[in-house]
Amino acid sequence: MRIITGQYKGRHFEIPRTFKARPTTDFAKENIFNVLGGYLDFDGATALDLFGGTGSISLELVSRGCSQVICVELDRDHHRFISDCLKKLGTTACIPLRGNVFRFLKSCHQQFDFIFADPPYALKELPQIPDLIFEKQLLKDGGVFVFEHGKDHDFSQHPHFVEHRAYGSVNFTLFSNSSD
């Protein structure tokens, strides 16, 4: 796993073979961040990374200048790996939380400029995640929410839908809380 750009560009982290999580591919990650460049400036932004997995997105967000990233990951080993990667970078801009994403969403009162969610594609609650984000008003006005999911889901009828991008088997749906 590598950081694509920003302060920590080119840094590599070896993911243990025992991990169940699949990091977003470099190809997909690079392309979606290129798209996001037209929507928001990460410098000084606040971000939420749900289902942190390997921490790939959180590390990328920190590298791109986010002032605060909250990364929520349930698995103990994955959480430890993310924490170790952050220590190696020497950054405190990311707060790795170990816990259930749905419990976190119910109790979170903070708003974010950017939210990224990459749940397991087979998660039965996956289709409800966009509604939870907007019901809890977790996205600031003008903020962007990127939802990574499998090809079996279509969110184009969601009231906050902006666009859909597919890179191989990786699908991203972008949502916004824009008042435009």
Side-chain angles (χ1 to χ4, degrees):
M1 172 179 80
R2 76 178 172 96
I3 298 175
I4 295 168
T5 198
Q7 179 182 358
Y8 303 110
K9 178 182 180 176
R11 293 287 299 266
H12 285 264
F13 298 93
E14 206 58 46
I15 299 168
R17 295 191 192 285
T18 57
F19 271 26
K20 299 174 286 266
R22 42 153 184 65
T24 302
T25 65
D26 283 354
F27 175 76
K29 184 167 66 170
E30 189 164 7
N31 279 288
I32 196 62
F33 272 99
N34 285 341
V35 169
L36 289 169
Y39 287 99
L40 75 148
D41 181 5
F42 290 102
D43 195 37
T46 57
L48 175 62
D49 181 9
L50 300 171
F51 306 94
T54 62
S56 173
I57 298 298
S58 289
L59 295 172
E60 193 70 38
L61 291 167
V62 168
S63 185
R64 288 171 186 255
C66 283
S67 61
Q68 183 191 50
V69 178
I70 295 176
C71 176
V72 184
E73 172 54 47
L74 181 61
D75 184 276
R76 182 191 69 227
D77 294 334
H78 295 198
H79 175 265
R80 185 179 311 122
F81 178 77
I82 295 165
S83 298
D84 290 346
C85 290
L86 292 165
K87 283 180 192 146
K88 288 175 185 171
L89 293 179
T91 182
T92 57
C94 182
I95 302 164
L97 300 178
R98 182 168 172 246
N100 179 289
V101 164
F102 297 100
R103 272 198 217 119
F104 174 83
L105 290 175
K106 286 178 183 158
S107 64
C108 182
H109 300 290
Q110 183 176 349
Q111 286 191 313
F112 301 90
D113 298 298
F114 179 71
I115 299 174
F116 186 91
D118 179 12
Y121 289 2
L123 185 72
K124 71 176 174 33
E125 298 93 348
L126 184 144
Q128 288 88 45
I129 293 171
D131 289 337
L132 284 171
I133 298 292
F134 290 102
E135 285 167 11
K136 291 294 292 177
Q137 300 178 3
L138 297 177
L139 201 58
K140 290 181 183 176
D141 191 38
V144 176
F145 165 42
V146 173
F147 193 36
E148 184 175 335
H149 56 85
K151 66 181 178 354
D152 299 335
H153 296 281
D154 177 7
F155 296 96
S156 60
Q157 298 307 307
H158 194 280
H160 294 280
F161 174 83
V162 175
E163 69 175 286
H164 172 261
R165 298 287 179 122
Y167 305 104
S169 63
V170 180
N171 288 265
F172 295 105
T173 299
L174 282 71
F175 302 87
S176 180
N177 202 20
S178 183
S179 54
D180 295 345

